[in-house]
Amino acid sequence: MLLVEWHLPRLAAAQAPVQEARSKVEAAFLRNFARYVSWPPQAFEGDRSPWTVCVLGEDPFGDALPEVLRGRVEQGRPFEIRRADALESLPACHILFVSIANAAQRRSVLRRVKDMPVLTVGNASEFLAEGGVIRLQPGERMEMSVNLDQARSASLGIPTKLLEVSRDVVENGVLRRLR
């Protein structure tokens, strides 16, 4: 038992840099979505209104998201980050990272933003089936899958470049495995 207790803190310390690197990669994906995905003009208050990146639920990013977005501008817009445990506590979001473990709560949030110009992103295995737009899948390398039907419902344009590097794409209700 003592041997296990002695190794656990070392194991946790060894995993911390891996989690931090993963968080930075996920944050970079969120930043790049602002570059490649297109939103309808009415999604923004003005021509230079910021991108609002929201994290709903338990924040998996820590300092990685502000670090990756600090000083960045995409399409002439700076970034703002908002975090909350409830959707009602957030302003209008352009990119919404849904980090809610409870599937029923996650589905409820996704239903409420379904037809809004909000790019929903998450890691849950059922995220696309639940109505999310992009699922990030960490592993040896970060992969993503896209629910093109939901993107269209939200009036978001997903370019071919993103679809070509996606693992799976849902289109017309059919899941196609690309990689």
Side-chain angles (χ1 to χ4, degrees), residues 114-130:
K114 180 178 173 49
D115 295 322
M116 302 168 106
V118 177
L119 179 68
T120 52
V121 182
N123 299 105
S125 61
E126 295 299 315
F127 194 72
L128 297 184
E130 294 169 342

Side-chain angles (χ1 to χ4, degrees), residues 23 27 30 52-70 80-91 93 95-97:
S23 295
L30 296 182
T52 305
V53 178
C54 303
V55 179
L56 183 61
E58 189 174 329
D59 185 351
F61 296 103
D63 293 334
L65 191 57
E67 184 180 317
V68 168
L69 297 180
R70 184 173 316 147
E80 286 184 358
I81 302 168
R82 302 283 190 239
R83 296 175 170 98
D85 291 325
L87 188 60
E88 300 78 25
S89 302
L90 290 172
C93 304
I95 301 171
L96 175 63
F97 189 89

Side-chain angles (χ1 to χ4, degrees), residues 2-105:
L2 183 58
L3 185 62
V4 170
E5 290 175 7
W6 183 73
H7 284 289
L8 286 178
R10 290 180 44 192
L11 181 61
Q15 290 176 339
V18 171
Q19 178 59 38
E20 184 178 325
R22 174 182 156 191
S23 295
K24 285 182 180 178
V25 169
E26 285 181 323
F29 267 78
L30 296 182
R31 182 191 69 224
N32 285 330
F33 293 149
R35 177 182 301 164
Y36 294 110
V37 174
S38 60
W39 277 257
Q42 68 270 20
F44 299 93
E45 289 182 21
D47 291 343
R48 298 290 173 223
S49 298
W51 295 102
T52 305
V53 178
C54 303
V55 179
L56 183 61
E58 189 174 329
D59 185 351
F61 296 103
D63 293 334
L65 191 57
E67 184 180 317
V68 168
L69 297 180
R70 184 173 316 147
R72 296 291 186 148
V73 174
E74 289 296 342
Q75 298 183 33
R77 301 175 187 281
F79 289 90
E80 286 184 358
I81 302 168
R82 302 283 190 239
R83 296 175 170 98
D85 291 325
L87 188 60
E88 300 78 25
S89 302
L90 290 172
C93 304
H94 299 101
I95 301 171
L96 175 63
F97 189 89
V98 182
S99 184
I100 299 173
N102 181 287
Q105 290 175 346

